Amino acid sequence: MTDEVGRDTEAVSKFVESFAAQLVEAGMQRMPARVFAALLSSDAGVMTSSELGEQLRISPAAVSGAVRYLTMTHMVSREREPGSRRERYRVHGDQWYEALTNREAIIKRWEGALREGVTSLGPDTPAGRRMAETLAFFEFVESEVAEMMERWRVHREKRFGSG
């Protein structure tokens, strides 16, 4: 069976499930991983709840829960279908950038908590030193990610334009 642009729908389905399995292995919940993979593999990058449910053979409730998670993590966005009350869900080309950028805020909060931990435990205690090393790791990662994201913006512009 083929879709409207001549792709083998079974091959697409196998890809979606395979990529979703990789996302699950990396720590993402199963349903959000499947919905994300389906959106990412669609030409438009946009699907309605019913389209997702039909393609993935899942209930509207499963789609809703998955989309809730994906919007909270900034991996997809919700939008209204023009002239309709139906929502559709969009994956953007820069979703990885957005997801990493939003992780930076979490890392900042962890750094604050770790600083408090170093102070509370004492910097010269074994636990305080371990806490300080963990803090130093997150500070290092944060600076590396910030530099990497700037390099990505330049690389993306050169490769794909400003779209």
Side-chain angles (χ1 to χ4, degrees):
M1 184 175 212
T2 58
D3 64 12
E4 64 279 353
V5 291
R7 275 186 296 241
D8 179 344
T9 54
E10 187 174 326
V12 171
S13 181
K14 282 181 181 178
F15 165 77
V16 166
E17 296 305 325
S18 172
F19 187 58
Q22 295 297 315
L23 293 171
V24 168
E25 208 170 286
M28 187 183 281
Q29 297 170 13
R30 186 170 181 269
M31 264 324 141
R34 292 181 72 214
V35 167
F36 181 75
L39 283 166
L40 191 63
S41 66
S42 71
D43 279 339
V46 176
M47 296 175 80
T48 65
S49 179
S50 62
E51 290 168 337
L52 285 163
E54 183 180 319
Q55 178 178 335
L56 299 172
R57 296 183 183 99
I58 58 176
S59 71
V63 172
S64 178
V67 167
R68 187 177 320 109
Y69 172 86
L70 292 168
T71 56
M72 284 179 15
T73 58
H74 304 278
M75 294 184 75
V76 302
S77 60
R78 293 176 192 253
E79 55 188 46
R80 289 268 182 219
E81 236 178 47
S84 170
R85 291 175 42 183
R86 286 189 345 174
E87 286 188 329
R88 55 189 188 177
Y89 310 106
R90 178 179 299 278
V91 67
H92 298 278
D94 63 351
Q95 77 275 353
W96 300 113
Y97 174 85
E98 289 297 323
L100 268 178
T101 300
N102 288 305
R103 293 287 184 260
E104 282 184 272
I106 294 168
I107 290 173
K108 279 280 193 211
R109 289 197 306 268
W110 290 351
E111 288 174 1
L114 289 165
R115 273 188 202 87
E116 286 179 31
V118 171
T119 301
S120 299
L121 297 166
D124 297 324
T125 66
R129 281 192 300 277
R130 196 170 42 252
M131 202 72 58
E133 185 176 339
T134 303
L135 171 60
F137 170 77
F138 282 117
E139 289 171 337
F140 174 80
V141 166
E142 181 186 12
S143 70
E144 291 295 309
V145 167
E147 291 173 21
M148 179 184 63
M149 297 310 272
E150 182 55 37
R151 288 192 312 271
W152 167 247
R153 280 191 289 273
V154 171
H155 176 78
R156 183 176 187 241
E157 176 75 25
K158 286 179 187 172
R159 184 155 182 197
F160 299 105
S162 61

